[in-house]
Amino acid sequence: AQAAHLARFRADSIVRDCETVRRELTGGAPWSVLGQSFGGFCATHYLSTAPEGLREVFITGGLPSLDGHADDVYRAAYPRIQRKVEAHYARYPQDVARARRIAAHLAEHPTTLPGGYTLTPEAFQSLGILLGGGDGSHQLHYLLEDAFIRVGARHELSDAFREAVQAQLSFAGHPLYALLHEAIYGQGGRPTAWSAERVRGEFPQFDAARALDGDAPLLFTGETIHPWHFETDPALRPLRECAELLAARADWTPLYDAGRLAANEVPVAAAVYHDDMYVDTAHSLDTARAIRGLRTYVTDEYEHDGVRASGGRVLDRLISLVRGEV
């Protein structure tokens, strides 16, 4: 029952809810929508199913693949994540040894964080999710640089490090993110089946044990959810059975109508970030070409959080594009 209920939290249900709210608020008049990240997925579904409710659409970092399975998303994601990690190590070369040292320590001494989270090498790798933000590389560096303290003759992970990692990794405040992260890609009669975990097997350079056995840098991962999340995180442990049911579900309905998008008449503009770690740029540009009249603003000045980081300049640019000022 819980899994069936959560299946109603995807873009299709969100848009149906929006249409109910819109009619009550506007008396039936169309409205403007802004979609950031997954919000852009929702806006694209909106254009596919209820364009009569839209006056104009602004999408920032959230143009999805129209027909890609979750496997396609992650096959594109892992090389992109690797580029972000390599750029981080080029910026902070001292972090190569620091990351390996922390992962090696965790391999021998799995650590329980203050909130009960079990920090394993794989969980430590998931701190790479920071690398998708404009200042994320700096945040990761500051997190790594003073991870250890001396306790007598040995070194241990400091309380400050463990507290900071707990804050970054815990899903206690947003469990739906973990439960539905792959479900948002579900369509075409195929289960997602823990896609990020399966596809990672095609990229052995992300294997922490393999990196530690040799001399390769430890590669962080990014916006990926794995079965072990529901073992290491106490906030997710009670939800493991629900997560398994969602991963096995195969009756997801199609999210995008290519024919309707090709005939689109709603003014729409989208910001596409040049090497967005969270949403594949090539997939986004393919979708931009498939939506009639969509205008793009492609930039490498910002990362996925460009709307916030730019102080609104990205949104201003999209408004100008939609309203014919550029």
Side-chain angles (χ1 to χ4, degrees):
Q2 188 178 52
H5 178 64
L6 288 171
R8 300 189 179 97
F9 283 68
R10 302 196 320 147
D12 46 3
S13 297
I14 290 170
V15 169
R16 285 195 293 271
D17 289 346
C18 284
E19 278 297 272
T20 299
V21 172
R22 178 185 66 84
R23 287 189 290 268
E24 292 296 320
L25 286 183
T26 72
W31 60 7
S32 302
V33 300
L34 163 65
Q36 159 67 18
S37 195
F38 173 60
F41 292 27
C42 295
T44 305
H45 180 80
Y46 215 145
L47 288 166
S48 293
T49 58
E52 66 280 1
L54 299 170
R55 183 167 71 94
E56 55 192 1
V57 174
F58 309 101
I59 296 173
T60 54
L63 278 176
S65 171
L66 297 181
D67 57 4
H69 184 265
D71 289 7
D72 303 313
V73 170
Y74 291 111
R75 284 195 183 99
Y78 279 111
R80 202 165 63 246
I81 295 166
Q82 183 170 350
R83 289 196 299 273
K84 295 293 185 182
V85 177
E86 290 170 347
H88 172 78
Y89 283 148
R91 181 178 295 115
Y92 294 113
Q94 61 271 51
D95 284 356
V96 174
R98 288 171 176 163
R100 283 180 56 88
R101 184 185 177 198
I102 294 169
H105 176 85
L106 293 171
E108 292 187 15
H109 311 285
T111 299
T112 301
L113 301 180
Y117 193 110
T118 303
L119 187 61
T120 63
E122 291 75 21
F124 170 64
Q125 284 177 282
S126 66
L127 286 170
I129 194 170
L130 290 168
L131 297 176
D135 61 354
S137 178
H138 310 305
Q139 290 185 51
L140 181 60
H141 169 67
Y142 297 138
L143 192 59
L144 301 181
E145 69 174 345
D146 292 316
F148 287 97
I149 59 169
R150 182 183 293 277
V151 180
R154 67 183 189 280
H155 287 85
E156 293 184 357
L157 294 171
S158 71
D159 290 346
F161 173 82
R162 293 196 283 184
E163 286 281 0
V165 171
Q166 169 79 24
Q168 290 293 339
L169 297 185
S170 172
F171 283 98
H174 49 295
L176 289 180
Y177 180 110
L179 282 165
L180 294 173
H181 185 67
E182 292 194 357
I184 68 172
Y185 301 111
Q187 54 181 346
R190 294 170 59 192
T192 56
W194 297 110
S195 178
E197 176 72 11
R198 288 185 296 98
V199 172
R200 197 179 89 148
E202 301 173 15
F203 298 90
Q205 64 269 37
F206 282 89
D207 187 302
R210 175 175 169 162
L212 294 175
D213 284 343
D215 57 1
L218 181 85
L219 293 183
F220 291 95
T221 53
E223 193 180 29
T224 56
I225 299 297
H226 303 266
W228 55 256
H229 275 105
F230 293 83
E231 299 168 0
T232 59
D233 191 336
L236 297 181
R237 286 173 196 150
L239 302 170
R240 176 62 189 263
E241 183 180 2
C242 183
E244 292 285 0
L245 291 169
L246 288 167
R249 186 172 179 135
D251 61 347
W252 301 116
T253 56
L255 290 167
Y256 311 108
D257 184 331
R260 201 162 190 182
L261 292 173
N264 173 62
E265 295 183 355
V266 178
V268 52
V272 179
Y273 304 112
H274 175 67
D275 199 23
D276 191 328
M277 193 177 83
Y278 304 132
V279 179
D280 187 70
T281 303
H283 290 171
S284 293
L285 293 176
D286 286 345
T287 296
R289 287 186 285 269
I291 300 176
R292 179 176 178 268
L294 185 147
R295 302 190 68 182
T296 56
Y297 169 45
V298 183
T299 177
D300 61 1
E301 187 174 1
Y302 307 107
E303 296 284 352
H304 189 77
D305 56 354
V307 171
R308 176 184 61 80
S310 70
R313 289 188 295 276
V314 167
L315 182 56
D316 289 343
R317 178 62 179 259
L318 297 186
I319 291 172
S320 297
L321 287 172
V322 160
R323 297 178 182 173
E325 299 167 8
V326 174

